[in-house]
Amino acid sequence: MIATRDDAKLTRVIADFPILAKPTSRGKRLVYLDSAATAQKPRAVIDALVHYYENDNANIHRGVYELAERATDMFEGARAKVATFINAAEPAEIIWTRNATEAMNLVAMTWGTTNLRPGDVILTTQLEHHSNLVPWQLLAAKTGAELRFIPAAFDGTLVLDDLDALLRGAKLVAFTHVSNTIGSISPVAELVARAHAVGAVVLVDGAQSVPHMPVDVQALDIDFLAVSGHKMCGPTGIGFLYGKRALLEAMPPFLTGGDMIRSVSYETTTFNELPWKFEAGTSNIADAIALGAAVDYLSALGMEWVRAHEIAITRYALERLQPLAARGLDVYGPADAQARAGVISFNFADIHAHDLASILDTEGVCVRAGHHCTMPLMEKMGWPATARASFYLYNTEADVDMLITALEKAATVFGIA
């Protein structure tokens, strides 16, 4: 069943996001279809951020006065909420970072430089965001490891025919759960199992999955998971790295100073226990607390509901886009809405993606245009750029209908019959 704008729960969800009630500067209803870049924020998250600064602002872990203790409790409470949300074994396995990018760089600079040697293999895929590619390129250059790639088919599905050969010598397997460009979903359980069978450690880029579907790190046996808070209704500038305790304990610190210190003399330093070993300096306290509010919000909705809603909206969008194929619209990614996340990349005849996004913007429809931080993938596929519509829990059939109307306007402007 397709969720619609008349669904009572969906109506309540939309009302939770203040920005969606505000028209564009052209007087159009805002149709926000760029949640793969960043999600909009519900009132509960905005209020949590303001509440901290108005009522609880103090530095954490250091003060014995009531205000500092209250701030510390809220900060660590948010960590516990995140741990529960992804089913980590304990809150200490959650490391606060600025975003998924920093989380992956943390692993590269600590676990990677400690464990990789010349001749070892880092295996990733052809789908990756630059954040899950460039750190491994630099790590390979630094350690002498070899970088290999699991190929991707034109619809974004991974081609696993030669996986056994690609895994020979692998010490690290790093891949995206969901492609931010095409929306295809990687077979996480299979990849993790086969990587572990050859003794490799697995890092999953969860930036596009954790906000949109249930993710259980223990059930999937993931070693590291990197997530950005701003894509899951939280603020920008906060994210987290999940890591198994044994791995995190064996890793050297990433940055030094502040809370990651246990004791210091002029000659030597000992480091704090998990998770604070990796959290140097004053943390992003307010945004961590607000991310905890985002986790509360998503948990109350239910991630099964979020996923089902996105499948329904994506299916409806694919159906509505299909007739435009006769006029030159090319849609990329898996044809089955259940095999993809709520991300649809497309090109329309000979209209450049940036021009297309500009026309859609005049109708209040916000889509992303460009290479989506996946330049190697775009080159492989032969796309100079694509337009990308990405859906989330607050999108409706009416939003999809507005997208179609805006595309038809673009066809008229560019003389497409």
Side-chain angles (χ1 to χ4, degrees):
M1 178 180 178
I2 294 177
T4 74
R5 61 186 182 275
D6 298 321
D7 175 80
K9 184 172 184 177
L10 181 55
T11 299
R12 291 194 300 272
V13 167
I14 294 168
D16 289 336
F17 291 81
I19 199 170
L20 299 180
K22 302 179 185 301
T24 70
S25 62
R26 298 180 178 90
K28 301 287 186 178
R29 181 175 73 83
L30 177 64
V31 178
Y32 188 75
L33 303 180
D34 196 22
S35 294
T38 195
Q40 296 300 338
K41 318 307 174 193
R43 173 62 66 188
V45 170
I46 299 168
D47 288 348
L49 197 61
V50 173
H51 185 276
Y52 167 78
Y53 282 122
E54 288 187 342
N55 299 280
D56 304 301
N57 183 44
N59 215 326
I60 54 172
H61 299 145
R62 302 171 189 176
V64 296
Y65 53 91
E66 179 187 353
L67 195 61
E69 291 181 344
R70 195 161 68 232
T72 299
D73 288 345
M74 294 171 66
F75 179 79
E76 293 300 337
R79 192 194 310 273
K81 292 175 184 179
V82 168
T84 299
F85 190 68
I86 62 167
N87 195 31
E90 55 177 317
E93 294 182 326
I94 303 298
I95 309 299
W96 294 122
T97 62
R98 288 181 300 168
N99 42 49
T101 299
E102 185 176 273
M104 287 181 273
N105 276 272
L106 188 161
V107 174
M109 295 301 294
T110 57
W111 184 92
T113 55
T114 302
N115 289 279
L116 293 184
R117 301 288 182 271
D120 290 338
V121 170
I122 304 167
L123 179 61
T124 185
T125 85
Q126 292 181 335
L127 295 174
E128 302 308 316
H129 190 284
H130 298 160
S131 296
N132 201 26
L133 172 57
V134 177
W136 315 128
Q137 291 176 336
L138 297 179
L139 181 60
K142 179 179 292 188
T143 63
E146 177 189 353
L147 187 59
R148 294 178 186 164
F149 298 90
I150 301 172
F154 191 72
D155 68 353
T157 56
L158 294 176
V159 180
L160 303 182
D161 298 352
D162 297 321
L163 184 58
D164 287 341
L166 290 169
L167 282 168
R168 290 192 192 108
K171 292 293 180 66
L172 175 67
V173 179
F175 61 91
T176 185
H177 192 164
V178 171
S179 167
N180 71 298
T181 296
I182 303 179
S184 53
I185 302 173
S186 300
V188 176
E190 179 181 1
L191 289 173
V192 170
R194 294 179 69 173
H196 284 169
V198 300
V201 166
V202 176
L203 179 144
V204 175
D205 176 359
Q208 300 293 340
S209 62
V210 170
H212 299 276
M213 60 188 68
V215 175
D216 184 327
V217 292
Q218 292 194 74
L220 293 169
D221 201 19
I222 294 169
D223 298 308
F224 295 112
L225 178 75
V227 182
S228 288
H230 70 97
K231 297 182 191 294
M232 53 187 292
C233 297
T236 56
I238 189 71
F240 64 89
L241 172 71
Y242 157 79
K244 291 179 178 175
R245 172 177 275 276
L247 291 169
L248 293 173
E249 286 185 332
M251 289 156 51
F254 179 44
L255 301 173
T256 57
D259 273 354
M260 58 80 61
I261 299 298
R262 181 184 295 278
S263 65
V264 180
S265 70
Y266 283 115
E267 294 76 29
T268 188
T269 298
T270 59
F271 303 119
N272 208 343
E273 61 188 16
L274 294 177
W276 308 294
K277 179 173 104 173
F278 294 103
E279 295 176 0
T282 297
S283 294
N284 191 349
I285 305 165
D287 289 344
I289 292 168
L291 179 55
V295 167
D296 287 340
Y297 184 82
L298 293 173
S299 298
L301 286 178
M303 292 309 295
E304 293 81 5
W305 181 87
V306 173
R307 175 61 179 150
H309 173 69
E310 287 187 25
I311 290 172
I313 293 297
T314 303
R315 181 179 295 118
Y316 181 72
L318 292 171
E319 291 171 356
R320 293 284 279 119
L321 289 166
Q322 199 279 328
L324 291 174
R327 301 167 70 180
L329 184 80
D330 292 319
V331 174
Y332 311 118
D336 183 356
Q338 289 192 298
R340 65 191 299 158
V343 175
I344 300 179
S345 273
F346 55 90
N347 279 305
F348 198 1
D350 59 355
I351 308 173
H352 192 280
H354 290 112
D355 294 330
L356 184 57
S358 295
I359 295 295
L360 299 188
D361 180 53
T362 66
E363 296 300 306
V365 178
C366 306
V367 301
R368 181 57 59 96
H371 55 68
H372 315 299
C373 296
T374 56
M375 293 175 71
L377 175 64
M378 303 295 279
E379 183 177 354
K380 167 188 165 61
M381 297 299 189
W383 309 324
T386 71
R388 183 190 69 188
S390 51
F391 310 110
Y392 202 18
L393 49 90
Y394 36 66
N395 290 122
T396 66
E397 288 180 348
D399 293 338
V400 175
D401 293 340
M402 286 296 296
L403 170 64
I404 301 303
T405 298
L407 288 170
E408 289 171 344
K409 176 182 178 179
T412 299
V413 169
F414 285 91
I416 298 172

